[in-house]
Amino acid sequence: MPLHAICLDLAGVLYQGPRLLPGAQDALQRLRATGLPLRFVTNTSQRNRSQILNDLASLNLAVDETELFTAPQAAHDYLTCRGLTPYCLFHPNLKEEFADLEGKQADAVLIGDAGRKFTYEHLDQAFRLLHDGAPLIAIGENRYYQLDDGLHLDAGPFVRALEYAANCRAIITGKPSSAFFEQVLADLGTRPEHTLMVGDDVHGDVEGALNSGMQACLVQTGKYREGNEQAIIGDFHLEADITAVARTVTHLLG
């Protein structure tokens, strides 16, 4: 299958916490040298867009602002298009990105990785709004993420808890939502079957991409654990790390 563009997850693929993963910088340069357009797609909701770009720059990873697609931005666009005022249950770093949507009376619930804000009080307030009919918008539904000290709970389990309690279904604006991938593909101007998604999350990155008709590659870094590749059905690449991805892509393109 021809390859016309590449989408890369960030955390777990290029870096983990505050450090680059081995070979990431060189691998990114090799991928750029192919001439294929790149997009960087992330569900990260503990860092705002400016912070992510600054983090990338501090790691000497050259990423243009127009190449970055974040799940929080997709959530903001969703709320704006529908004129919704959200009750925000997310990390304080995202507050400035949603300041223009604040209002006295919330008519939607927006949930991201809130960290220590996942208290009974906050979850109960979200539940009461949902029970009264407000829609639940989730930045992502990732189960967990990887830091240097191991795995940590992401927003997904709390999304499921609210769905169960309020008998509703969340609208997912980030990965693995097909709508999110369609937004990236539209920007690239490529067909899904000619676009490769590279990530360390077998469900959010790989399964989501496959369900959107894209090619996919699971890297064995970040949150990957042995046997993850057996958790889903479909044909996708399995590579040790981003260096191996760059090598394979270069070889495929001849």
Side-chain angles (χ1 to χ4, degrees):
M1 187 74 68
L3 185 59
H4 296 165
I6 300 175
C7 298
L8 298 167
D9 186 23
L10 291 175
V13 175
L14 296 176
Y15 59 78
Q16 183 170 301
R19 61 183 179 84
L20 275 175
L21 288 172
Q25 194 174 65
D26 179 65
L28 182 55
Q29 291 174 349
R30 291 181 65 183
L31 289 174
R32 287 202 182 281
T34 66
L36 297 177
L38 304 181
R39 293 296 182 270
F40 301 85
V41 294
T42 177
N43 271 12
T44 297
S45 59
Q46 286 200 4
R47 307 286 285 170
N48 62 46
R49 187 178 182 84
S50 296
Q51 289 172 323
I52 293 172
L53 289 168
N54 287 337
D55 291 342
L56 292 167
S58 70
L59 294 170
N60 292 318
L61 293 173
V63 175
D64 188 84
E65 182 178 1
T66 61
E67 296 177 312
L68 178 63
F69 280 78
T70 71
Q73 182 60 49
H76 184 281
D77 293 346
Y78 183 92
L79 292 162
T80 301
C81 288
R82 289 158 180 80
L84 295 171
T85 300
Y87 172 73
C88 296
L89 185 53
F90 54 39
H91 195 279
N93 283 338
L94 293 188
K95 185 174 176 59
E96 66 181 60
E97 291 197 358
F98 291 87
D100 61 315
L101 299 181
E102 290 181 349
K104 292 183 178 180
Q105 187 62 46
D107 54 8
V109 172
L110 175 64
I111 183 171
D113 181 9
R116 294 183 182 277
K117 283 190 67 178
F118 280 131
T119 64
Y120 177 83
E121 179 183 2
H122 290 136
L123 287 165
D124 189 52
Q125 178 61 32
F127 157 73
R128 294 176 67 181
L129 286 166
L130 296 173
H131 192 265
D132 288 341
L136 174 61
I137 295 94
I139 292 173
E141 57 179 353
N142 301 72
R143 298 172 182 177
Y144 48 82
Y145 60 91
Q146 174 78 34
L147 291 179
D148 284 345
D149 63 350
L151 297 176
H152 294 264
L153 277 176
D154 209 324
F158 299 97
V159 173
R160 289 291 178 267
L162 288 172
E163 286 181 323
Y164 174 73
N167 192 28
C168 67
R169 290 299 299 272
I171 298 155
I172 310 299
T173 63
K175 298 176 292 184
S177 165
S178 292
F180 182 74
F181 285 116
E182 287 168 6
Q183 179 184 3
V184 180
L185 290 166
D187 183 71
L188 283 164
T190 56
R191 295 188 58 80
E193 65 268 24
H194 297 156
T195 309
L196 175 68
M197 175 67 213
V198 181
D200 66 324
D201 188 320
V202 70
H203 295 289
D205 296 319
V206 176
E207 188 173 38
L210 292 177
N211 288 341
S212 298
M214 300 169 67
Q215 300 180 48
C217 177
L218 178 65
V219 290
Q220 296 171 300
T221 52
K223 69 173 66 173
Y224 171 85
R225 293 296 185 272
E226 185 177 355
N228 279 174
E229 63 273 18
Q230 300 171 14
I232 63 172
I233 298 173
D235 295 326
F236 55 91
H237 302 279
L238 180 66
E239 299 286 0
D241 52 26
I242 190 61
T243 297
V245 173
R247 185 166 53 244
T248 298
V249 168
T250 302
H251 175 73
L252 290 174
L253 294 175

